């Protein structure tokens, strides 16, 4: 990328570097996930001061050939997001942590950038995030190659039958079973068609989280732990 070429991105995470600088994990339209250093960004007179905030679409330029790029300019589109510690803000932090943990570095995916951008925009219009989260999780898994097979069972490779019950095996898919089933065939078909209103919410969440935990090799997410503590 040319040092003078502007690129769209979102901030996923940031941490302090020294007394005045910030290292930011960002997700860019053209270059995917990457790390940049914003030198002096914590100084009030810095051109970066106050700009590195999550859930706002940023315009940046950067330079450097190493893995850690240097931020050179920044601008942003303002998203009017309530920064209070709400369920919505933690849902968004959860999605950002998913992006950090699951996305490889420097792997451009413009479709995923558009998906994330639309998710952020849609989240501003909704008070209830549950279905929006489940849609994003399923789309993210599909785009990263971890998509769930909603078409056939894992043994006979027969089409999912709405009259049969199934258990879900995260690394494989759905297996017909009348013993302690997780889902009815109709549940699976409804999820495939994104007809979430006819699926028990706990089952839908169980499905996406089991798959995500498999992708994360069983490691829990910090955002989930924080939200659990706040609910107690």
């Amino acid at each position: 990328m040319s040092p003078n070429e502007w690129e769209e991105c979102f901030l996923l995470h940031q941490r302090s570097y020294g007394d005045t600088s910030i290292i930011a994990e960002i997700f860019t339209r053209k270059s995917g996930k990457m790390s940049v250093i914003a030198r002096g960004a914590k100084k009030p007179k810095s051109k970066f001061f106050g700009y590195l905030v999550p859930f706002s679409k940023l315009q940046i330029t950067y330079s450097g050939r190493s893995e850690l790029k240097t931020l050179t300019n920044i601008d942003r589109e303002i998203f009017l997001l309530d920064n209070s510690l709400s369920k919505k803000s933690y849902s968004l932090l959860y999605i950002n942590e998913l992006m950090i943990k699951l996305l490889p570095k420097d792997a451009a995916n413009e479709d995923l950038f558009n998906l994330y951008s639309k998710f952020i925009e849609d989240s501003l219009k909704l008070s209830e995030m549950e279905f929006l989260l489940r849609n994003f999780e399923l789309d993210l898994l599909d785009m990263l190659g971890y998509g769930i097979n909603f078409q056939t069972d894992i043994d006979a490779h027969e089409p999912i039958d709405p009259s049969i019950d199934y258990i879900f095996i995260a690394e494989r898919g759905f297996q017909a079973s009348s013993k302690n089933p997780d889902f009815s065939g109709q549940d699976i078909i409804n999820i495939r068609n994104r007809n979430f209103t006819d699926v028990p919410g706990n089952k839908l969440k169980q499905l996406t989280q089991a798959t995500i935990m498999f992708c994360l090799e069983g490691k829990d997410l910090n955002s989930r732990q924080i939200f659990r503590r706040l609910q107690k």
Side-chain angles (χ1 to χ4, degrees):
M1 173 179 168
S2 166
N4 298 317
E5 183 180 348
W6 288 87
E7 180 162 11
E8 291 179 297
C9 74
F10 287 92
L11 173 73
L12 299 178
H13 183 259
Q14 63 170 277
R15 66 183 189 275
S16 294
Y17 182 77
D19 293 332
T20 62
S21 298
I22 290 171
I23 291 179
E25 296 289 327
I26 59 174
F27 180 45
T28 70
R29 177 181 291 280
K30 297 178 182 176
S31 304
K33 188 180 71 174
M34 59 191 300
S35 300
V36 297
I37 182 168
R39 299 191 184 280
K42 292 162 71 174
K43 295 180 178 179
K45 292 184 179 180
S46 168
K47 61 183 175 181
F48 305 129
F49 184 77
Y51 277 82
L52 285 166
V53 295
F55 321 127
S56 293
K57 187 180 289 183
L58 307 173
Q59 297 278 349
I60 64 167
T61 64
Y62 59 87
S63 62
R65 296 184 178 181
S66 67
E67 184 175 326
L68 180 63
K69 311 298 184 186
T70 298
L71 192 65
T72 52
N73 290 289
I74 193 167
D75 200 355
R76 74 171 175 226
E77 299 174 16
I78 302 296
F79 285 152
L80 300 177
L81 183 66
D82 181 1
N83 289 322
S84 63
L85 300 182
S86 64
K87 183 176 180 180
K88 177 184 287 190
S89 63
Y90 278 103
S91 295
L92 293 169
L93 289 172
Y94 158 72
I95 290 299
N96 273 7
E97 192 174 3
L98 273 189
M99 299 283 283
I100 292 169
K101 297 285 178 66
L102 292 179
L103 265 61
K105 277 202 171 183
D106 303 319
N109 190 327
E110 191 161 352
D111 288 339
L112 181 52
F113 185 91
N114 290 335
L115 176 72
Y116 179 86
S117 181
K118 186 175 187 305
F119 171 81
I120 296 297
E121 292 176 22
D122 289 346
S123 71
L124 303 180
K125 307 169 190 173
L126 299 175
S127 57
E128 177 52 57
M129 293 283 290
E130 197 69 23
F131 290 165
L132 186 64
L133 280 170
R134 302 292 85 85
N135 266 309
F136 183 86
E137 288 170 331
L138 290 171
D139 287 337
L140 177 65
L141 290 167
D142 280 340
M143 287 187 179
L144 296 180
Y146 302 117
I148 300 167
N149 178 10
F150 293 103
Q151 303 295 330
T152 59
D153 70 85
I154 60 178
D155 289 331
H157 305 292
E158 293 289 337
I160 296 296
D161 187 332
S163 65
I164 294 178
D165 290 331
Y166 297 83
I167 59 173
F168 179 66
I169 303 171
E171 66 272 27
R172 298 179 63 199
F174 296 98
Q175 183 180 63
S177 176
S178 58
K179 186 177 181 181
N180 299 321
D182 298 316
F183 299 91
S184 69
Q186 189 59 57
D187 286 335
I188 298 168
I189 292 169
N190 285 335
I191 298 170
R192 181 179 71 203
N193 295 332
R194 304 296 174 94
N195 183 16
F196 295 157
T197 55
D198 292 332
V199 181
N202 62 322
K203 288 189 176 184
L204 186 56
K205 189 173 182 179
Q206 169 192 339
L207 176 71
T208 57
Q209 292 199 348
T211 307
I212 288 167
M213 287 297 287
F214 172 73
C215 297
L216 294 172
E217 299 179 341
K219 298 174 183 176
D220 204 357
L221 296 168
N222 294 330
S223 50
R224 279 190 193 149
Q225 294 173 357
I226 293 169
F227 196 52
R228 285 193 203 109
R229 288 198 295 270
L230 288 175
Q231 289 180 312
K232 291 180 180 178

